[in-house]
Amino acid sequence: RQGLGLAVITYDAPEVLADFARRRGITYPLLSDKGSATIKAYGLLNTTMAPGTPAYGVPFPGTFMLDRNGRVTARFFEQAYQERTTVSTLLLKSGIGIERPVTSAETAHLRLRAWAGDAALVPGRHVSLVVDVTPLTGMHVYAPGATGYRVVALTLDEVPGLRALDTSYPPSETYYFAPLKERVPVYMRAFRLTREVLLDPSPQGAAALGARTSLTVSGRLDYQACDDKICYNPVSIPLSWSFTLGALDRERARVR
């Protein structure tokens, strides 16, 4: 619907890609990059793999977004090669809307909608937790950098085998409170908080999860709201996101 296409480029032979696509039900193009020519052209050749070894020719994995003229408009890479960013997370980072089931809540100060970019967690796959917040008329909540007030925060409970990255905040605006002659960073209009989570792809992470097939990530939205006269007590809204758990496909292609 957004007019975007998806293609994967790998150094694997066409028959290997065909087998993988059949097993996984993949319908978008998997392109075989003979001799890793395209991988090298983009400067992505994984230089930690020694020439002559089976893995030589693989790229440092990541995603480029191109415009219709073939120009790179954005790129997404992770620190570790075992990690990937899901398509939903890429769209969210690019400011493109997606439709997902949401949980709604409302307090005396704001309305919120909480949702996740994907329904499944797989080791190493970055999935976005999203909280859309709309302060009620005349209200504001405090943004990072405010002192003396409870800054809005998306806090997650620790889960063995699950890693959570830092919360991503949008730009705030400055509010001038005349009685105290203070200027503070706040959110007065609708804003979005996102936080990426992933299953630890290490053997220790897998051991921590055991044989579980589902996982609920719980947490809370903490904030303090004020209007032009009153600062209200801090509030915590409980939140949770439920996921199925998937595994990596480690099967080698059944081709000669």
Side-chain angles (χ1 to χ4, degrees):
R1 288 196 296 266
Q2 298 291 343
L4 298 173
L6 175 67
V8 171
I9 300 176
T10 132
Y11 81 143
D12 296 291
E15 58 269 22
V16 173
L17 297 179
D19 177 81
F20 185 76
R22 282 193 299 270
R23 287 190 285 111
R24 304 299 296 181
I26 294 173
T27 57
Y28 50 82
L30 303 184
L31 307 178
S32 177
D33 185 16
K34 185 177 181 180
S36 300
T38 301
I39 290 169
K40 293 174 183 175
Y42 276 88
L44 300 180
L45 183 68
N46 190 328
T47 53
T48 66
M49 305 299 178
T53 59
Y56 181 74
V58 301
F60 290 111
T63 303
F64 287 110
M65 295 190 74
L66 311 178
D67 65 14
R68 293 185 180 274
N69 296 314
R71 294 175 296 194
V72 175
T73 59
R75 59 182 180 178
F76 304 91
F77 287 80
E78 305 303 337
Q79 291 295 321
Y81 76 89
Q82 302 96 330
E83 299 180 20
R84 302 289 191 276
T85 302
T86 69
V87 171
S88 295
T89 295
L90 294 178
L91 294 177
L92 287 169
K93 286 184 174 182
S94 302
I96 299 173
I98 61 174
E99 295 180 3
R100 294 285 298 140
V102 302
T103 299
S104 300
E106 184 169 349
T107 70
H109 321 111
L110 55 79
R111 296 188 299 273
L112 69 78
R113 301 169 73 251
W115 48 285
D118 295 271
L121 293 173
V122 177
R125 189 175 294 174
H126 288 235
V127 171
S128 293
L129 306 182
V130 182
V131 180
D132 289 321
V133 182
T134 303
L136 300 184
T137 302
M139 294 287 181
H140 60 264
V141 298
Y142 292 94
T147 57
Y149 302 95
R150 177 73 62 85
V151 171
V152 63
L154 176 55
T155 303
L156 301 179
D157 299 330
E158 290 190 10
V159 178
L162 182 78
R163 286 168 42 198
L165 279 63
D166 292 338
T167 301
S168 177
Y169 288 89
S172 59
E173 55 187 309
T174 300
Y175 175 78
Y176 178 66
F177 187 52
L180 296 180
K181 297 182 179 179
E182 66 176 6
R183 300 179 186 275
V184 288
V186 301
Y187 297 115
M188 290 186 281
R189 301 176 179 84
F191 64 96
R192 170 174 290 176
L193 302 181
T194 58
R195 193 165 186 185
E196 294 178 28
V197 296
L198 68 153
L199 298 182
D200 185 345
S202 71
Q204 295 83 358
L209 290 168
R212 300 172 70 167
T213 59
S214 63
L215 182 70
T216 296
V217 179
S218 59
R220 64 187 184 275
L221 180 76
D222 298 317
Y223 73 90
Q224 185 175 16
C226 299
D227 56 26
D228 59 353
K229 296 180 180 179
I230 300 173
C231 273
Y232 301 91
N233 290 330
V235 175
S236 293
I237 305 175
L239 300 170
S240 65
W241 298 263
S242 295
F243 300 94
T244 58
L245 299 186
L248 296 175
D249 187 331
R250 301 183 184 275
E251 183 178 345
R252 298 304 298 169
R254 297 186 292 270
V255 295
R256 294 181 179 179

